[in-house]
Amino acid sequence: MDKFIVEGGYRLKGRVNLSGSKNAALPIMAATLLTDKECVLNNIPHLNDTLVMNKLVNILGGKVSFEGNTVRALNKTIKEFKAPYDLVKTMRASVYVMGALLGRYNKAEVAMPGGCIIGERPINLHLMGFEKLGAKIVIEHGYIKAKAKKLRGADIYLDTVSVGATANILMAGIYAQGQTIIRNAAQEPHIVDLCNFLNKLGARIKGQGTNTITLQGVTSLKGGTYNVISDYIEAGTFMVASAITNGKIELVNAPLDNIEAVKDNLIDTGSEVKRVKKNLLVKGLAKPRPSKIDTAPYPGFPTDMQAQWMALMSVAGGTSIVNETIWEKRFMHVPELNRMGADITTKGNTAVIKGVKGLSGAPVMVSDLRAGASLVLAGLRAKGTTEISRVYHLDRGYEKIEKKLEALGAKIRRFK
Ligand code: EPZ
């Protein structure tokens, strides 16, 4: 299993190009199953997760190629309607093919995704939405089977804001007769991107980016070429990399409208963040001020930036608080940060982070994607060498992270 060896203490400087958004690319790749015409998707990040989605669509009978950062999909006839356990267990976003298959063929079968390290991750809201559209759901032998004679538009309220349920219901409702309304919908930039992609193919979706999304069923979709948005979580991670190393990093073509929450908190804690044309320049400082954050659905502080933020607050000049409101078990990075000299205690979904003078390099282990990013950031700041194992988690969601950091002056190497 690959490892990263990070030698800390270097200030990062320079420009970084951001990759396409993983969490936009995954539902958009699944959504190509909704049309029999060719879709060309640009700016798809080359990651383990996007490779799994590529494989899954091909297993279902689609014809998808993935070269460089371009995916070409021509999913004329789908022969398989079952997303197998072997793939679903490696990537929960596989569940997105359910909405797409149900939407186009009125049937789908997906292995029941289990819980994962950050929480239980139920999909009851996805299934409730499918049922409201007219599907019958049966759970048998570890598989969820959805079937409908005909899907009809419905008024659907999500009692918890869910990215996955919003995306899945949208895909399932594309050809449903009449109007579908999703209330308390997720407003994340990746949901907006999925809607924009579907509209480009001829869907009739309105209200994306607000908490009420409306779609009018259509009878066919075209093909099209689409450029996926930049990854605002990758952007946030590099912003924190600049802050934590007292660096000066310019994010090229930054998703300026999507990173307000991280930007505001960085400014509040003393970093300088300014727009330079289409780029964003972030200047760190030796000792950030402490902060209090609560994670929340977009436009709140993203749970996917919580672990990285905690690395930064571990060297702040005072005590910080983090309340994790989305994922009940997303503190797996805490004991690892503490091994590096951080002083963090948790109780329930709250973490109290007492800023320490400095971190010291140590062997640490990655438990999940963003925890991995947090350990890399801590390693960049720490005195001495940090050996980070299980970096395959990082490879699921950060494209060439070590190469990008190296180009900014970090001493980080991958060992096979
Ligand atoms: C997406 O997961 C992201 N994954 C996650 O990113 C992200 O952390 C999460 O949204 C929240 O922003 C992808 O986009 C592929 P949810 P998703 O449904 O869709 C509860 C990363 O690091 N809920 O928005 O699975 C759920 O328990 C990953 O890139 C239900 O109760 O998340 C949670 O508390 C990790 N019932 C909350 O809603 C449901 O049916 C939000 O979950 C669905 C969700």
Side-chain angles (χ1 to χ4, degrees), residues 32 35-40 63 72-76 201 222-225:
T32 63
T35 175
D36 60 356
K37 304 288 183 318
E38 193 186 38
C39 298
V40 179
K63 293 253 172 307
R72 283 171 197 279
L74 183 54
N75 301 327
K76 273 194 185 303
L201 303 188
K222 312 176 277 191
T225 299

Side-chain angles (χ1 to χ4, degrees), residues 168-385:
N168 237 343
I169 295 168
L170 271 165
M171 291 189 271
I174 286 298
Y175 297 118
Q177 191 184 9
Q179 176 174 269
T180 296
I181 304 176
I182 308 175
R183 301 184 197 272
N184 203 26
Q187 302 174 49
E188 267 68 4
H190 27 289
I191 292 292
V192 176
D193 213 36
L194 170 67
C195 294
N196 292 346
F197 166 66
L198 290 168
N199 279 345
K200 182 141 198 201
L201 303 188
R204 292 173 61 204
I205 306 173
K206 281 188 184 155
Q208 59 270 35
T210 74
N211 64 4
T212 306
I213 301 179
T214 309
L215 69 148
Q216 298 293 336
V218 293
T219 51
S220 65
L221 288 183
K222 312 176 277 191
T225 299
Y226 192 77
N227 298 335
V228 167
I229 52 165
S230 312
D231 196 314
Y232 73 107
I233 300 299
E234 187 197 25
T237 304
F238 278 97
M239 289 162 80
V240 173
S242 192
I244 203 169
T245 63
N246 192 4
K248 189 176 169 189
I249 298 181
E250 193 170 332
L251 282 74
V252 178
N253 285 326
L256 296 164
D257 297 332
N258 303 340
I259 43 177
E260 290 294 315
V262 175
K263 183 179 134 203
D264 290 350
N265 278 284
L266 276 176
I267 293 171
D268 287 348
T269 53
S271 287
E272 211 182 292
V273 185
K274 71 173 184 207
R275 206 175 162 150
V276 185
K277 293 185 182 153
K278 285 186 173 173
N279 301 348
L280 196 72
L281 182 67
V282 182
K283 279 193 206 170
L285 76 171
K287 198 97 204 124
R289 290 192 285 269
S291 67
K292 178 178 178 309
I293 61 147
D294 293 355
T295 61
Y298 190 85
F301 193 95
T303 171
D304 295 345
M305 279 301 300
Q306 178 261 102
Q308 300 90 311
W309 189 255
M310 224 188 262
L312 178 65
M313 288 302 103
S314 70
V315 293
T319 301
S320 303
I321 308 281
V322 166
N323 282 316
E324 172 54 61
T325 71
I326 312 282
W327 299 118
E328 66 276 13
K329 290 198 253 170
R330 205 175 209 180
F331 281 149
M332 301 299 284
H333 42 288
V334 169
E336 302 303 301
L337 289 172
N338 284 346
R339 303 191 75 251
M340 299 177 71
D343 182 352
I344 309 173
T345 47
T346 59
K347 196 172 177 193
N349 67 344
T350 301
V352 177
I353 307 124
K354 290 190 183 151
V356 293
K357 271 208 176 113
L359 297 171
S360 63
V364 287
M365 198 171 75
V366 178
S367 56
D368 63 274
L369 173 59
R370 309 303 170 186
S374 145
L375 297 177
V376 168
L377 293 169
L380 294 172
R381 170 77 177 218
K383 211 168 179 186
T385 305

Side-chain angles (χ1 to χ4, degrees), residues 22-23 26 93 96 118 121-126 160-164 188 303-304 326-327 330 369-370:
K22 165 181 83 85
N23 290 346
L26 293 171
Y96 281 143
I118 61 173
R121 310 197 71 174
I123 56 162
N124 58 308
L125 296 170
H126 306 225
T160 303
V161 179
S162 162
V163 169
E188 267 68 4
T303 171
D304 295 345
I326 312 282
W327 299 118
R330 205 175 209 180
L369 173 59
R370 309 303 170 186

